Amino acid sequence: MSGSKEETVLRALLESADIKINGERPWDIQVLNSGFYQRVFSVGSLALGESYMDGWWECPALDRMFTRLFTHRIHEKAVTVIKSAPWPVLKVLAFNAQNRTKAFVVGKRHYDIGNDLFSAMLDRDMNYSCAYWHDADTLDDAQQAKVELICRKIGLRPGMTVLDIGCGWGGFIKHAASEHGARVLGVTVSREQMEYVKAECREPDVRVELMDYRDLNEKFDAVVSVGMFEHVGYKNYRTYMKTVQRCLNPEGIFLLHTIGGNRSTKSLDPWIEKYIFPNSMLPSARQITNAAEGLLVLEDWHSFGQYYDKTLMAWYDNFTANWDRLKANYSERFYRMWTYYLLSCAGSFRSKMNQLWQIAFSNGGIEGVFRHSDQFLMPALS
């Protein structure tokens, strides 16, 4: 195909989402390198992200551009005319990309890249998952509301034992121990996260281990997993649920907080897979319930993906506001990569292409019901 023909096809695709090339609106794309058309046409979404990282195009409001792309399903229409790299799909079909050895890859390549970056971007307790903005005006308050909501959903009270699978920098486990008197074990595949929690958390009833979830074999009153299930992989969903059941006391509650997709898939966007979250994928509602069927009882399903848009925009504001003190350790290309990551993800939630779910399971059923109101609470425990 000639360059002019490729440009015509890409222009038509974008204009169907009200995005103009070299237009004047904030969500329009400004092409700075004429090789952009051939590059994107040949490789697809991977090249779209890489060409942005390389400075081949600009967009003043990437989040608004991606919202239009996803709302009009341009990523689906483009599959019929634009080639995409097949390797991410072939890889997950042929291999278990999240086996015990590979499970630690995302820790090294994403969560270990620098606590200076995450402390500048996140809230004061370093919660790296969707905040709960229901009655909150600031990121700090919204993240505190999220961890407290989880504590209330699992009926947390002094002396309870809690397992946090994928504990991050310890936002939940510190809150559960200091505010509710729980005894908590957090496990992570990130050495930086483990060392941070050990250094920063002074609560005597908190433990943190560098561990794959499959190696857990201890009983708890409750299990919590916040923003980790996205790294499990479809080949391991059933194993994950079996692990949770094995670790959960008979009357225990499991609270799963995860990003979800509207369709069942076996791969992640190639650009996100390569540059942000290797060996990761988003579960669908069907994949989650199939994995838990016959093992755990579904008690409640709470969807608040609209809050992830607001969370990501708050992270982006913090990241850009603190860039001057971060740039000594990170390149300009990293800045463009991280900007693309945060704003494209904001657009995915704003357009409802991606969801955020908090799902409560029990180990055999519980007495009473979860109350459906502004706050989703466990029934009172006798």
Side-chain angles (χ1 to χ4, degrees):
M1 286 187 107
S2 68
S4 60
K5 202 167 184 180
E6 292 156 352
E7 180 177 348
T8 298
V9 171
L10 289 176
R11 281 183 180 272
L13 275 173
L14 293 173
E15 287 179 4
S16 69
D18 191 29
I19 301 167
K20 293 184 180 297
I21 291 178
N22 299 329
E24 298 179 351
R25 299 164 304 179
W27 60 87
D28 287 332
I29 288 175
Q30 310 300 315
V31 173
L32 307 177
N33 187 315
S34 60
F36 166 82
Y37 306 105
Q38 168 65 32
R39 188 174 182 182
V40 173
F41 202 91
S42 299
V43 185
S45 64
L46 177 62
L48 184 68
E50 288 181 334
S51 60
Y52 181 81
M53 291 165 61
D54 292 339
W56 284 28
W57 61 277
E58 295 286 356
C59 179
L62 273 176
D63 56 311
R64 297 170 70 181
M65 187 273 285
F66 275 105
T67 301
R68 282 168 169 76
L69 280 182
F70 296 139
T71 298
H72 292 272
R73 300 294 185 262
I74 302 304
H75 57 294
E76 296 172 3
K77 298 175 185 178
V79 171
T80 62
V81 294
I82 295 177
K83 299 176 184 178
S84 294
W87 172 240
V89 177
L90 295 177
K91 181 178 71 172
V92 298
L93 293 175
F95 307 105
N96 184 349
Q98 301 84 16
N99 63 24
R100 276 184 168 84
T101 302
K102 296 183 177 68
F104 290 85
V105 171
V106 72
K108 294 176 181 177
R109 287 181 49 192
H110 186 87
Y111 298 104
D112 289 351
I113 58 177
N115 284 345
D116 58 340
L117 168 67
F118 291 109
S119 64
M121 185 179 82
L122 305 177
D123 65 298
R124 63 175 176 264
D125 288 331
M126 303 263 289
N127 289 282
Y128 193 25
S129 57
C130 181
Y132 188 60
W133 294 86
H134 179 69
D135 284 321
D137 296 319
T138 68
L139 181 62
D140 284 343
D141 289 346
Q143 292 290 14
Q144 282 298 296
K146 187 263 301 293
V147 295
E148 179 59 24
L149 178 64
I150 293 171
C151 290
R152 298 175 76 182
K153 283 184 176 182
I154 63 175
L156 196 56
R157 61 189 188 276
M160 280 182 61
T161 56
V162 182
L163 167 65
D164 184 350
I165 303 177
C167 65
W169 288 273
F172 168 78
I173 60 178
K174 288 183 286 186
H175 182 87
S178 64
E179 300 300 320
H180 295 274
R183 292 179 289 148
V184 191
L185 168 63
V187 297
T188 176
V189 294
S190 164
R191 185 170 297 278
E192 288 292 326
Q193 289 180 339
M194 178 192 68
E195 292 177 353
Y196 179 90
V197 177
K198 286 184 173 181
E200 297 294 325
C201 184
R202 305 299 181 185
E203 296 296 327
D205 289 326
V206 166
R207 293 179 290 147
V208 61
E209 302 290 342
L210 186 71
M211 180 188 295
D212 181 77
Y213 68 90
R214 282 161 285 214
D215 295 326
L216 288 160
N217 195 18
E218 185 178 341
K219 291 290 188 181
F220 298 87
D221 297 319
V223 177
V224 167
S225 186
V226 183
M228 178 272 175
F229 197 67
E230 300 89 333
H231 305 310
V232 170
Y234 81 100
K235 290 185 176 182
N236 307 298
Y237 291 155
R238 186 71 172 176
T239 299
Y240 182 92
M241 293 299 182
K242 287 180 178 179
T243 301
V244 169
Q245 185 196 45
R246 182 174 72 238
C247 293
L248 199 57
N249 283 332
E251 296 181 354
I253 292 289
F254 168 45
L255 194 288
L256 177 65
H257 174 118
T258 183
I259 300 171
N262 295 321
R263 297 182 179 181
S264 297
T265 65
K266 296 179 179 179
S267 63
L268 196 63
D269 172 81
W271 186 86
I272 293 286
E273 154 76 20
K274 181 175 180 179
Y275 290 100
I276 306 299
F277 293 117
N279 302 334
S280 299
M281 61 187 65
L282 302 185
S284 68
R286 181 172 66 180
Q287 287 171 323
I288 293 171
T289 55
N290 282 351
E293 185 173 338
L295 298 173
L296 301 166
V297 176
L298 176 61
E299 300 284 354
D300 185 68
W301 197 296
H302 184 181
S303 178
F304 52 91
Q306 73 274 18
Y307 292 150
Y308 224 146
D309 174 18
K310 192 169 183 177
T311 302
L312 284 154
M313 295 307 296
W315 290 345
Y316 172 72
D317 289 342
N318 287 345
F319 171 64
T320 54
N322 288 292
W323 178 246
D324 280 347
R325 67 182 178 89
L326 291 170
K327 63 185 180 182
N329 298 324
Y330 302 91
S331 67
E332 184 64 25
R333 194 167 190 263
F334 179 91
Y335 176 85
R336 295 181 67 85
M337 178 188 78
W338 210 251
T339 294
Y340 190 89
Y341 153 52
L342 294 174
L343 296 184
S344 64
C345 288
S348 75
F349 286 98
R350 197 176 306 166
S351 64
K352 296 300 181 83
M353 188 183 81
N354 289 336
Q355 310 292 334
L356 189 285
W357 300 318
Q358 282 193 354
I359 313 165
F361 294 94
S362 65
N363 193 359
I366 59 169
E367 255 185 75
V369 295
F370 277 73
R371 293 199 298 270
H372 248 51
S373 63
D374 288 341
Q375 297 285 346
F376 291 60
L377 309 177
M378 272 285 291
L381 298 174
S382 57

